[in-house]
């Protein structure tokens, strides 16, 4: 049993931290960008290309020799750097990466369904709603951290979302929240007219085949970049989908290429952010996923309540209020903590305002200058 003086000291320390985290003046971060890579397994992120899937029979790989030349290396560290060079060369070195089970850093999805709508709702709301258990399109009855921030005068009109998956207007409940969501094949709105915007909207309209609603990640990224440069949102949410779609399609080669492309998007995004005075040195980037997947040789294609391993996810953060601790070891965290971590980077205590939400991930954000 701890001594009373020690307990008092711990209480005092927690109190000071909570007060500091709730005071936006204590944070250097003025903007937060959350990027999600749908269904990217922790195994692929932390160990790179999976040798068991680099063939046609198990991985649907069309040209195994070409894929191995591009992504296969002798060590996990070399393989993951080949797959996602910006992630491991910048985010992991200057920020933090959580979720490598091989190093006893374990991130868990707690909604038990391990599919996208429940996962995204858990990420954005900070808690699990048992009513949300499928990917059906219905308005989220819960307020996300995006909506919570948008209600504050300093963030009104400064929050926006860009998503490949067409269900996000429902997840974020754009009609109630007022947060603009450019999802699926919807045209980009709310920015000044320009040749770039017109071309993007034209290509977006002309690309989908009958029945397609989830667009290519490139369109999502270009919409986000055009909006970011024109409107300078303080909170941006970007969600890519191709890593999940190619997993379901059984195309491991395309999954790897999708992850590699997403990494290039992250690099361009961060370099652009650091080139703009509104963002440079005062922006936190969070990168995570909505669920995991199963193992090779078969279940890597799937996720869900009955798929072993789909409950594991990963989390990365980079910014002026995040200690550069690199790849974390011996940590445990849950998906319910992402929303409060994003708010804490801005200096707000989301968990205090929403008691059923998880608290910020320990050590991901430091209070004070």
């Amino acid at each position: 049993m701890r001594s009373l003086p020690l307990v008092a000291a711990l209480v005092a320390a927690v109190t000071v931290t909570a007060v500091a985290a709730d005071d936006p003046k204590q944070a250097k971060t003025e903007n937060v960008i959350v990027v999600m890579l749908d269904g990217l397994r922790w195994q692929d992120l932390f160990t790179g290309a999976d040798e068991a899937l680099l063939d046609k029979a198990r991985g649907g790989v069309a040209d195994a020799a070409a894929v191995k030349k591009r992504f296969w290396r002798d060590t996990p560290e070399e393989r993951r750097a080949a797959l996602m060079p910006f992630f491991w060369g910048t985010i992991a070195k200057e920020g933090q990466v959580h979720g490598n089970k091989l190093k006893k850093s374990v991130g868990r999805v707690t909604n038990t369904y391990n599919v996208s709508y429940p996962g995204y709702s858990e990420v954005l709301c900070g808690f699990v709603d048992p009513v949300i258990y499928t990917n059906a399109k219905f308005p989220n009855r819960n307020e996300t951290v995006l909506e919570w921030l948008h209600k504050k005068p300093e963030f009104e009109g400064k929050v926006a979302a860009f998503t490949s998956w067409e269900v996000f207007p429902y997840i974020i409940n754009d009609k109630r929240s007022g947060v603009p969501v450019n999802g699926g094949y919807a045209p980009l709105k709310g920015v000044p007219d320009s040749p770039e915007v017109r071309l993007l909207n034209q290509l977006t309209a002309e690309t989908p085949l009958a029945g397609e609603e989830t667009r290519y990640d490139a369109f999502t990224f270009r919409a986000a970049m055009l909006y970011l440069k024109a409107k300078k949102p303080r909170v941006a949410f970007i969600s890519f989908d191709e890593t999940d779609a190619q997993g379901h399609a059984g195309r491991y080669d395309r999954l790897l290429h999708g992850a590699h492309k997403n990494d290039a998007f992250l690099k361009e995004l961060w370099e652009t952010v650091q080139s703009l005075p509104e963002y440079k040195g005062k922006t936190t980037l969070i990168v995570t996923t909505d669920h995991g997947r199963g193992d090779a040789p078969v279940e890597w294609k799937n996720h869900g309540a009955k798929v072993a391993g789909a409950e594991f996810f990963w989390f990365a953060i980079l910014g002026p209020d995040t200690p550069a601790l690199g790849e974390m070891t011996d940590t445990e965290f849950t998906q319910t903590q992402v929303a409060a971590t994003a708010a804490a980077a801005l200096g707000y205590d989301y968990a205090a305002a929403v008691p059923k939400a998880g608290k910020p991930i320990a050590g991901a954000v430091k209070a004070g200058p």
Side-chain angles (χ1 to χ4, degrees):
M1 182 176 179
R2 293 186 176 93
S3 66
L4 290 177
L6 178 56
V7 172
L10 289 172
V11 171
V14 170
T15 302
V16 169
T17 300
V19 171
D22 198 37
D23 180 0
K25 296 179 181 178
Q26 296 294 318
K28 295 179 181 178
T29 298
E30 297 180 9
N31 318 285
V32 164
I33 301 174
V34 178
V35 179
M36 299 193 67
L37 279 57
D38 197 303
L40 182 64
R41 301 189 307 166
W42 71 268
Q43 297 96 317
D44 298 317
L45 179 72
F46 287 99
T47 65
D50 188 335
E51 187 174 22
L53 297 175
L54 294 179
D55 63 21
K56 187 171 183 178
R58 291 169 294 188
V61 177
D63 188 340
V67 174
K68 288 180 179 179
K69 181 178 181 180
R70 186 166 189 182
F71 296 118
W72 182 256
R73 304 291 185 274
D74 292 334
T75 69
E77 291 76 16
E78 291 174 319
R79 289 195 295 274
R80 70 189 189 186
L83 180 64
M84 301 185 71
F86 173 77
F87 188 97
W88 290 105
T90 298
I91 298 177
K93 289 184 178 180
E94 300 177 15
Q96 296 178 20
V97 181
H98 301 248
N100 187 350
K101 287 185 64 186
L102 299 176
K103 295 187 177 181
K104 299 181 180 180
S105 178
V106 182
R108 294 183 184 275
V109 177
T110 67
N111 62 65
T112 74
Y113 306 113
N114 302 326
V115 293
S116 291
Y117 193 148
Y120 285 116
S121 185
E122 183 175 340
V123 164
L124 290 173
C125 296
F127 56 86
V128 174
D129 182 348
V131 170
I132 301 173
Y133 59 91
T134 72
N135 289 335
K137 295 177 180 177
F138 62 94
N140 195 340
R141 65 180 182 177
N142 307 294
E143 183 177 275
T144 67
V145 69
L146 302 178
E147 183 174 352
W148 184 79
L149 287 167
H150 191 252
K151 285 182 175 180
K152 298 182 180 297
E154 59 269 37
F155 291 100
E156 184 178 2
K158 293 291 185 179
V159 182
F162 309 88
T163 70
S164 297
W165 196 33
E166 72 279 1
V167 181
F168 271 101
Y170 300 88
I171 298 173
I172 298 172
N173 200 335
D174 58 343
K175 290 183 173 58
R176 184 196 66 219
S177 69
V179 174
V181 182
N182 178 253
Y185 283 94
L188 178 62
K189 299 179 180 179
V191 295
D193 183 48
S194 69
E196 292 83 3
V197 172
R198 290 195 296 272
L199 178 59
L200 175 65
N201 285 340
Q202 180 181 355
L203 293 173
T204 298
E206 294 173 347
T207 299
L209 299 173
E212 284 187 331
E213 294 180 296
T214 301
R215 68 182 170 192
Y216 293 121
D217 290 342
F219 292 158
T220 299
F221 179 67
R222 292 304 156 196
M225 292 297 286
L226 286 169
Y227 192 96
L228 182 143
K229 292 175 182 177
K231 303 293 288 186
K232 309 297 190 304
R234 291 191 59 191
V235 179
F237 177 82
I238 305 171
S239 179
F240 299 125
D241 189 76
E242 290 176 22
T243 46
D244 186 68
Q246 297 304 330
H248 287 304
R251 291 298 301 269
Y252 191 64
D253 48 352
R254 292 180 176 177
L255 186 155
L256 294 176
H257 285 294
H260 188 70
K261 178 172 62 175
N262 289 163
D263 181 78
F265 291 157
L266 288 171
K267 181 177 187 291
E268 183 178 342
L269 171 65
W270 190 246
E271 289 178 348
T272 300
V273 161
Q274 298 309 314
S275 72
L276 298 172
E278 294 88 350
Y279 295 103
K280 183 177 181 181
K282 45 192 175 185
T283 300
T284 288
L285 173 67
I286 290 173
V287 188
T288 187
T289 189
D290 56 328
H291 54 71
R293 314 184 82 84
D295 293 324
V298 176
E299 289 302 301
W300 69 275
K301 303 175 187 179
N302 305 312
H303 57 87
K306 296 182 179 180
V307 177
E311 72 272 25
F312 299 113
F313 87 113
W314 49 268
F315 172 90
I317 184 168
L318 169 66
D321 298 294
T322 295
L325 301 178
E327 187 176 2
M328 306 299 288
T329 61
D330 298 298
T331 62
E332 292 188 8
F333 58 103
T334 69
Q335 204 168 55
T336 64
Q337 297 179 266
V338 176
T341 305
L346 292 164
Y348 293 94
D349 193 340
Y350 181 72
V354 185
K356 57 185 175 180
K359 298 184 183 302
I361 294 173
V365 176
K366 62 181 181 181

